[in-house]
Amino acid sequence: MIGSGLPDSSTVHAHALWRERVFVLLPTDHALASHEAVFWTDLRDQTILLVTPDRAGSVEEMLESRIQMRGIIQNVQRHHVSRHLIHKFTRLGFGVSFILDSDVATVGDDVVYRELHDEQGQVDVCFYAHWMPSNRKFALRPFLTFLAERYPSPTER
């Protein structure tokens, strides 16, 4: 399984695969669109549009926990829709949302995206492969070897 967080259980092993930067997605005429970077504090008075998390360890769940840590959870509007539709809501000016590096090319010219920063700098998310060490399936070991060769672990932050 590939996810964006570390497993909670000590019975599951994990290997960090890659990191992606998180951006704030904004309507082109938004006041924050002129900023080079957006900080969590800039989002205190903003409506934040999020997809309702569909599984534990999702990017949305990680973002929501960081929003909660910063005391701006009351700004969040959760929607049972696709990320693509959340981006359309953003485009229409209903709020701001988030996008990962790998999705930037899909958003079009009618929105802007700005790096999200916290106290330590650029916010990113790390993706992991998870497996149970008790799994004795023949394909697991070669697959883990492939992952280790293809994705040397990125440094933890």
Side-chain angles (χ1 to χ4, degrees), residues 40-58:
W40 288 110
T41 52
D42 296 328
L43 301 177
R44 288 189 197 272
D45 298 323
Q46 303 297 319
T47 300
I48 300 170
L49 306 173
L50 288 180
V51 172
T52 300
D54 59 352
R55 67 185 188 292
S58 68

Side-chain angles (χ1 to χ4, degrees), residues 7-24:
D8 293 329
S9 171
S10 61
T11 62
V12 177
H13 287 190
H15 175 78
L17 299 172
W18 70 85
R19 301 186 88 77
E20 287 197 45
R21 296 179 296 169
V22 178
F23 294 90
V24 178

Side-chain angles (χ1 to χ4, degrees), residues 18 20-21 23 99-106 127:
W18 70 85
E20 287 197 45
R21 296 179 296 169
F23 294 90
I99 191 164
L100 296 179
D101 233 344
S102 59
D103 293 326
V104 163
T106 67
F127 288 84

Side-chain angles (χ1 to χ4, degrees), residues 62-121:
M62 179 276 304
L63 287 168
E64 193 165 339
S65 86
R66 290 188 185 185
I67 289 167
Q68 192 164 14
M69 287 178 2
R70 284 164 176 78
I72 54 175
I73 196 70
Q74 72 281 358
N75 299 11
V76 172
Q77 288 183 5
R78 291 171 200 84
H79 298 274
H80 292 280
V81 297
S82 68
R83 285 188 190 129
H84 181 71
L85 195 50
I86 289 291
H87 298 162
K88 283 188 177 191
F89 290 168
T90 300
R91 186 175 295 122
L92 294 171
F94 295 130
V96 303
S97 59
F98 301 97
I99 191 164
L100 296 179
D101 233 344
S102 59
D103 293 326
V104 163
T106 67
V107 297
D109 296 335
D110 46 357
V111 289
V112 296
Y113 50 92
R114 298 294 179 250
E115 290 182 350
L116 178 62
H117 283 248
D118 62 15
E119 302 79 21
Q120 291 141 7

